[in-house]
Short mmCIF file of all heavy atoms in Angstrom, two decimals:
data_model
loop_
_atom_site.label_atom_id
_atom_site.label_comp_id
_atom_site.label_asym_id
_atom_site.label_seq_id
_atom_site.Cartn_x
_atom_site.Cartn_y
_atom_site.Cartn_z
N ASN A 355 23.25 4.32 -18.00
CA ASN A 355 23.23 2.97 -17.55
C ASN A 355 22.00 2.22 -17.63
O ASN A 355 21.96 1.07 -18.06
CB ASN A 355 23.83 2.92 -16.07
CG ASN A 355 25.32 3.19 -15.85
OD1 ASN A 355 26.11 3.24 -16.89
ND2 ASN A 355 25.76 3.60 -14.77
N GLU A 356 20.97 3.14 -17.38
CA GLU A 356 19.62 2.53 -17.48
C GLU A 356 19.34 2.20 -18.89
O GLU A 356 18.63 1.22 -19.23
CB GLU A 356 18.55 3.60 -16.79
CG GLU A 356 17.18 2.92 -16.71
CD GLU A 356 17.06 1.86 -15.61
OE1 GLU A 356 18.06 1.62 -14.93
OE2 GLU A 356 16.01 1.22 -15.49
N ILE A 357 19.65 3.09 -19.77
CA ILE A 357 19.40 2.88 -21.30
C ILE A 357 20.12 1.58 -21.69
O ILE A 357 19.69 0.80 -22.44
CB ILE A 357 19.75 4.10 -22.16
CG1 ILE A 357 18.70 5.15 -21.88
CG2 ILE A 357 19.84 3.73 -23.61
CD1 ILE A 357 19.08 6.48 -22.54
N ASP A 358 21.37 1.40 -21.26
CA ASP A 358 22.16 0.27 -21.60
C ASP A 358 21.33 -1.00 -21.10
O ASP A 358 21.64 -2.11 -21.67
CB ASP A 358 23.57 0.37 -20.93
CG ASP A 358 24.37 1.44 -21.60
OD1 ASP A 358 23.99 1.81 -22.74
OD2 ASP A 358 25.41 1.85 -21.01
N ARG A 359 20.59 -0.93 -20.10
CA ARG A 359 19.91 -2.16 -19.66
C ARG A 359 18.73 -2.53 -20.50
O ARG A 359 18.15 -3.59 -20.34
CB ARG A 359 19.40 -1.89 -18.11
CG ARG A 359 20.48 -1.97 -17.10
CD ARG A 359 19.94 -2.37 -15.75
NE ARG A 359 18.60 -1.73 -15.44
CZ ARG A 359 17.52 -2.38 -15.44
NH1 ARG A 359 17.32 -3.56 -15.69
NH2 ARG A 359 16.35 -1.67 -15.08
N VAL A 360 18.32 -1.56 -21.41
CA VAL A 360 17.13 -1.90 -22.20
C VAL A 360 17.55 -2.98 -23.22
O VAL A 360 18.42 -2.89 -24.00
CB VAL A 360 16.74 -0.69 -22.88
CG1 VAL A 360 15.42 -0.94 -23.71
CG2 VAL A 360 16.33 0.48 -22.05
N VAL A 361 16.78 -4.09 -23.10
CA VAL A 361 17.13 -5.19 -23.99
C VAL A 361 16.78 -4.87 -25.39
O VAL A 361 15.84 -4.20 -25.75
CB VAL A 361 16.32 -6.45 -23.54
CG1 VAL A 361 16.81 -6.98 -22.18
CG2 VAL A 361 14.80 -6.24 -23.60
N HIS A 362 17.49 -5.33 -26.31
CA HIS A 362 17.32 -5.15 -27.79
C HIS A 362 18.01 -6.24 -28.53
O HIS A 362 18.94 -7.06 -28.12
CB HIS A 362 17.78 -3.77 -28.26
CG HIS A 362 19.27 -3.46 -27.95
ND1 HIS A 362 19.68 -3.03 -26.71
CD2 HIS A 362 20.42 -3.66 -28.66
CE1 HIS A 362 21.02 -2.89 -26.69
NE2 HIS A 362 21.49 -3.32 -27.90
N GLY A 363 17.61 -6.41 -29.73
CA GLY A 363 18.10 -7.49 -30.66
C GLY A 363 17.22 -7.52 -31.91
O GLY A 363 16.14 -7.07 -31.81
N GLY A 364 17.75 -8.13 -32.94
CA GLY A 364 17.00 -8.23 -34.21
C GLY A 364 16.59 -6.84 -34.66
O GLY A 364 17.45 -5.92 -34.68
N SER A 365 15.42 -6.63 -34.83
CA SER A 365 14.91 -5.33 -35.33
C SER A 365 14.53 -4.36 -34.23
O SER A 365 13.96 -3.29 -34.45
CB SER A 365 13.64 -5.48 -36.23
OG SER A 365 12.56 -6.15 -35.51
N ILE A 366 14.73 -4.84 -33.00
CA ILE A 366 14.41 -3.97 -31.79
C ILE A 366 15.54 -3.14 -31.41
O ILE A 366 16.60 -3.68 -31.00
CB ILE A 366 13.97 -4.94 -30.56
CG1 ILE A 366 12.92 -6.06 -31.01
CG2 ILE A 366 13.43 -4.12 -29.48
CD1 ILE A 366 11.66 -5.32 -31.68
N SER A 367 15.32 -1.83 -31.48
CA SER A 367 16.51 -0.88 -31.22
C SER A 367 16.39 -0.27 -29.75
O SER A 367 15.17 -0.20 -29.36
CB SER A 367 16.48 0.20 -32.28
OG SER A 367 16.69 -0.33 -33.49
N PRO A 368 17.43 0.11 -29.19
CA PRO A 368 17.26 0.78 -27.82
C PRO A 368 16.74 2.14 -27.96
O PRO A 368 16.75 2.73 -29.07
CB PRO A 368 18.81 0.83 -27.46
CG PRO A 368 19.62 0.78 -28.54
CD PRO A 368 18.89 -0.05 -29.60
N PRO A 369 16.42 2.85 -26.97
CA PRO A 369 15.91 4.35 -27.02
C PRO A 369 17.09 5.07 -27.44
O PRO A 369 18.33 4.83 -27.34
CB PRO A 369 15.63 4.52 -25.51
CG PRO A 369 15.39 3.36 -24.82
CD PRO A 369 16.27 2.27 -25.58
N GLN A 370 16.65 6.30 -27.98
CA GLN A 370 17.67 7.25 -28.39
C GLN A 370 17.86 8.36 -27.30
O GLN A 370 16.90 8.94 -26.89
CB GLN A 370 17.16 7.88 -29.78
CG GLN A 370 16.92 6.90 -30.82
CD GLN A 370 16.12 7.51 -31.95
OE1 GLN A 370 16.73 8.32 -32.76
NE2 GLN A 370 14.86 7.23 -32.18
N LEU A 371 19.10 8.47 -27.04
CA LEU A 371 19.42 9.48 -25.97
C LEU A 371 19.94 10.82 -26.46
O LEU A 371 20.83 10.76 -27.39
CB LEU A 371 20.46 8.98 -24.93
CG LEU A 371 20.99 9.90 -24.01
CD1 LEU A 371 19.78 10.34 -22.99
CD2 LEU A 371 22.18 9.30 -23.14
N ILE A 372 19.25 11.96 -26.09
CA ILE A 372 19.74 13.31 -26.44
C ILE A 372 20.24 13.98 -25.22
O ILE A 372 19.55 14.20 -24.22
CB ILE A 372 18.57 14.17 -27.04
CG1 ILE A 372 17.90 13.38 -28.24
CG2 ILE A 372 19.07 15.53 -27.43
CD1 ILE A 372 18.87 13.15 -29.38
N ALA A 373 21.55 14.36 -25.30
CA ALA A 373 22.15 15.08 -24.08
C ALA A 373 23.09 16.10 -24.70
O ALA A 373 23.52 16.01 -25.84
CB ALA A 373 22.87 14.06 -23.22
N GLY A 374 23.49 17.00 -23.82
CA GLY A 374 24.56 18.00 -24.23
C GLY A 374 25.91 17.42 -24.52
O GLY A 374 26.18 16.32 -23.83
N GLU A 375 26.67 17.95 -25.31
CA GLU A 375 27.98 17.42 -25.66
C GLU A 375 28.94 17.32 -24.55
O GLU A 375 29.74 16.41 -24.45
CB GLU A 375 28.58 18.23 -26.75
CG GLU A 375 27.91 18.22 -28.06
CD GLU A 375 28.66 19.02 -29.14
OE1 GLU A 375 29.71 19.48 -28.81
OE2 GLU A 375 28.17 18.93 -30.31
N ASP A 376 28.76 18.17 -23.51
CA ASP A 376 29.58 18.20 -22.33
C ASP A 376 28.97 17.38 -21.24
O ASP A 376 29.45 17.41 -20.03
CB ASP A 376 29.83 19.60 -21.81
CG ASP A 376 28.46 20.41 -21.68
OD1 ASP A 376 27.41 19.76 -21.89
OD2 ASP A 376 28.57 21.57 -21.23
N GLY A 377 27.80 16.61 -21.46
CA GLY A 377 27.19 15.79 -20.51
C GLY A 377 26.25 16.56 -19.59
O GLY A 377 25.64 15.90 -18.68
#
Side-chain angles (χ1 to χ4, degrees):
N355 290 342
E356 191 69 10
I357 289 176
D358 289 344
R359 285 203 320 105
V360 181
V361 297
H362 55 277
S365 61
I366 310 301
S367 301
Q370 304 168 71
L371 174 64
I372 303 298
E375 293 183 0
D376 55 359

